[in-house]
Amino acid sequence: MADFDLLIRGGTCVTAADTFRADVAIRGGRIVATGENLGSADKVIDASGMLVMPGGIDSHVHLAQHSAPGTPQMADGFESGTRSAIAGGTTTVLSFAVQPRGAGLRESVMAYHGKAEGQSFCDYGFHLIITDPSPNVLGQELPSLVGDGYTSFKVFMTYDDMVLNDRQLLDVFDCARGCGALVMVHCEGYDAIRYMTEKLERAGKTAPYYHGESRPQVVEREAAHRAISHAELVDVPIMIVHVSGREAMEQIRWAQQKGLKVYGETCTQYIALTAEDMKGFNMDETGGKYVCSPPPRDRASWDAIWEGIRGGVFQTFSSDHCPFFWEGTEGKQNPKAKTSFRWVPNGIPGVENRMQVFFSKGVSEGRISLNEFVALTSTNHAKMYGLYPRKGSIAPGFDADIVLWDANREETISQSLMHHAADYTPYEGLRVKGWPVMTLLGGKVVCDDGRILGRPGDGHFLPRALSPFAGPSARQR
Ligand code: DUC
Ligand code: ZN
Ligand code: ZN
């Protein structure tokens, strides 16, 4: 009988802390040893010339999320979305269980489980989206769900069907403080966006490009400052998600320098797309392919985002995978969307490209180290969202969720390579250096050079511990 189920031999292991030559021994779905001459195994994978990194954790994806009647369906459910994830080297996703207004929180979570159960190619957990913070939700349901492993939730400062007013935000923050949950905040101001949208529409400026003009950086900066101020008042940590440029980044940096527990997330689109993309061909509808919120900015904003990444302002780099179809009446070109940018569904696919683009622009172009790459794509997500020390590193005791990475392989991102159900990729034509060549989930090879070997149902739901980053400051404890 062999010592191990699997040995990954001859690669260079990379963790958030170290880079070292070692074999990795796996038994029962977990890493049991790293080192040399470890023993025999039923199966050996030759990883020479490859980086051996923890599987990606994407803590911000939207799958099978349907929030309001009459709005378009998402292109990806759990099956296609997580298939795309493993093809891109990601082995855990955290998706959002939304509470439609008027609905109970637990019933919403249970319904969402029904969409994921038996469907997922990778492990998954749920954040909650709180749209209706009634006394029952804040007093009973939310604390009880946090106790059951749904230890983070998102609130919105915009969107008709999601927005919370300032008093509601304060109440939700207070509840999070009480139960130790981590609050993620979508920072864009509702009234400012409405004002801008109506003004642009009156001027006949309705093409997708004006989506960006309707929510400039000042709108994001104002909301970020307001959220930070409320969090300071309540004394609760917050995570400001999908930061798009300098203005919001500087708010987070300012808060951090004040000693507040304010964390930041940024995403692929904010280092790879610009507002120019939303012009499409000659200000036509094809710009709708790039419509997401906050909108992509400009190249100076890419630099600001890198400044925040390198300076430690951002803890996590996510995809904000939020896919809609391009063709057909259920997607970006739905009939209403042709009348104004305000009806173009907000969101783009990208779970498969997150690590490719970040590695290429980050590591291959010399902006960050290999270890920073692992921290920002995996380890920090695990730590921030209560999955550490089970996920997020290459060390004995961790789940054997591993990506073998060819740092020298050059590819051009194209829809023909994608495994999602969406009918386009916003990163079409982007040349990258660095590519995932094999993905393992719990020690099983689930993707080999783009060939999916895993099955729906391989992935399991992950109840999560409280985030160690979510406790209030000692100041008011
Ligand atoms: N917020 C997200 O987090 N994703 C897509 C759209 C949005 O507004
Ligand atoms: Zn958002
Ligand atoms: Zn999102």
Side-chain angles (χ1 to χ4, degrees):
M1 178 157 156
D3 299 319
F4 308 111
D5 300 335
L6 174 67
L7 205 52
I8 300 174
R9 192 175 275 160
T12 299
C13 297
V14 187
T15 70
D18 299 302
T19 306
F20 52 99
R21 294 293 296 268
D23 301 341
V24 179
I26 294 160
R27 196 189 305 121
R30 299 235 165 150
I31 298 169
V32 290
T34 60
E36 288 178 5
N37 304 318
L38 294 173
S40 60
D42 291 334
K43 179 176 168 172
V44 175
I45 292 173
D46 177 12
S48 41
M50 296 294 137
L51 302 175
V52 180
M53 303 192 285
I57 301 173
D58 193 339
S59 57
H60 190 151
V61 305
H62 304 263
L63 302 173
Q65 182 183 313
H66 191 228
S67 37
T71 55
Q73 293 286 348
M74 273 189 173
D76 282 317
F78 274 83
E79 182 172 340
S80 59
T82 57
R83 186 175 66 214
S84 190
I86 59 170
T90 288
T91 49
T92 294
V93 295
L94 298 183
S95 188
F96 292 86
V98 64
Q99 172 202 26
R101 284 248 166 88
L105 209 48
R106 193 171 282 276
E107 63 173 298
S108 307
V109 170
M110 290 306 134
Y112 198 52
H113 270 292
K115 297 184 180 184
E117 188 78 49
Q119 301 290 308
S120 189
F121 282 91
C122 69
D123 285 351
Y124 61 97
F126 296 164
H127 310 288
L128 314 174
I129 291 179
I130 313 296
T131 66
D132 198 353
S134 65
N136 185 50
V137 164
L138 297 186
Q140 318 291 331
E141 287 203 287
L142 195 46
S144 145
L145 284 162
V146 170
D148 290 346
Y150 308 87
T151 55
S152 47
F153 47 83
K154 183 175 176 193
V155 289
F156 285 78
M157 298 174 77
T158 189
Y159 294 129
D160 288 329
D161 53 341
M162 306 261 202
V163 61
L164 302 189
N165 64 34
D166 283 358
R167 176 57 199 264
Q168 290 173 316
L169 285 174
L170 288 160
D171 287 342
V172 171
F173 285 7
D174 191 77
C175 176
R177 184 179 196 276
C179 53
L182 184 63
V183 196
M184 310 159 81
V185 192
H186 178 124
C187 294
E188 290 185 295
Y190 177 78
D191 286 313
I193 293 170
R194 275 191 51 167
Y195 161 76
M196 287 300 293
T197 299
E198 288 167 16
K199 194 169 153 178
L200 287 160
E201 285 181 344
R202 277 198 303 275
K205 295 180 173 177
T206 55
Y209 172 72
Y210 296 106
H211 168 77
E213 302 246 308
S214 75
R215 41 223 304 160
Q217 285 203 55
V218 60
V219 168
E220 188 183 0
R221 183 238 292 163
E222 179 278 328
H225 187 82
R226 191 154 35 102
I228 289 167
S229 305
H230 292 347
E232 181 180 5
L233 188 68
V234 174
D235 184 28
V236 68
I238 55 169
M239 161 64 83
I240 298 188
V241 292
H242 47 49
V243 172
S244 71
R246 177 167 298 283
E247 301 263 331
M249 185 277 283
E250 287 183 342
Q251 292 298 309
I252 300 170
R253 186 163 64 190
W254 170 80
Q256 290 170 348
Q257 284 168 353
K258 265 169 73 80
L260 300 176
K261 290 191 186 180
V262 174
Y263 310 112
E265 172 205 76
T266 190
C267 310
T268 321
Q269 51 268 42
Y270 307 121
I271 58 164
L273 302 178
T274 69
E276 290 296 297
D277 293 311
M278 289 189 294
K279 286 187 171 162
F281 299 111
N282 200 19
M283 292 293 276
D284 73 359
E285 288 158 8
T286 54
K289 285 183 176 177
Y290 308 93
V291 165
C292 58
S293 291
R297 310 291 184 187
D298 55 15
R299 284 175 177 255
S301 299
W302 296 0
D303 294 340
I305 293 298
W306 283 112
E307 188 180 313
I309 289 170
R310 290 160 59 106
V313 176
F314 298 116
Q315 288 67 47
T316 54
F317 187 89
S318 304
S319 68
D320 197 1
H321 181 82
C322 185
F324 293 95
F325 291 109
W326 167 238
E327 300 289 350
T329 54
E330 267 297 310
K332 295 276 192 183
Q333 299 181 88
N334 69 75
K336 266 167 99 178
K338 298 192 176 183
T339 67
S340 168
F341 62 83
R342 85 153 92 180
W343 303 114
V344 178
N346 274 221
I348 55 176
V351 68
E352 192 163 340
N353 309 117
R354 174 184 71 122
M355 295 176 78
Q356 301 156 356
V357 175
F358 194 49
F359 189 95
S360 187
K361 288 179 178 277
V363 179
S364 303
E365 293 183 19
R367 293 185 174 93
I368 55 170
S369 68
L370 281 172
N371 312 97
E372 287 169 313
F373 173 78
V374 169
L376 281 144
T377 56
S378 182
T379 315
N380 291 356
H381 299 251
K383 290 182 173 174
M384 190 61 67
Y385 294 107
L387 291 170
Y388 199 83
R390 177 172 170 190
K391 305 282 188 190
S393 194
I394 303 282
F398 280 80
D399 283 359
D401 298 349
I402 292 170
V403 59
L404 302 193
W405 195 274
D406 184 346
N408 295 312
R409 181 154 156 187
E410 296 190 33
E411 290 283 352
T412 302
I413 293 176
S414 138
Q415 172 64 8
S416 63
L417 297 177
M418 296 295 104
H419 296 76
H420 57 203
D423 52 359
Y424 78 101
T425 165
Y427 305 109
E428 185 74 39
L430 187 66
R431 189 103 184 120
V432 291
K433 184 173 178 193
W435 197 255
V437 291
M438 185 178 283
T439 308
L440 292 92
L441 178 74
K444 173 180 167 183
V445 178
V446 289
C447 186
D448 184 3
D449 206 5
R451 247 177 353 117
I452 301 294
L453 303 177
R455 292 165 187 275
D458 280 347
H460 295 106
F461 175 70
L462 299 166
R464 291 176 290 114
L466 292 179
S467 168
F469 293 87
S473 67
R475 192 165 49 87
Q476 291 181 22
R477 212 185 268 268

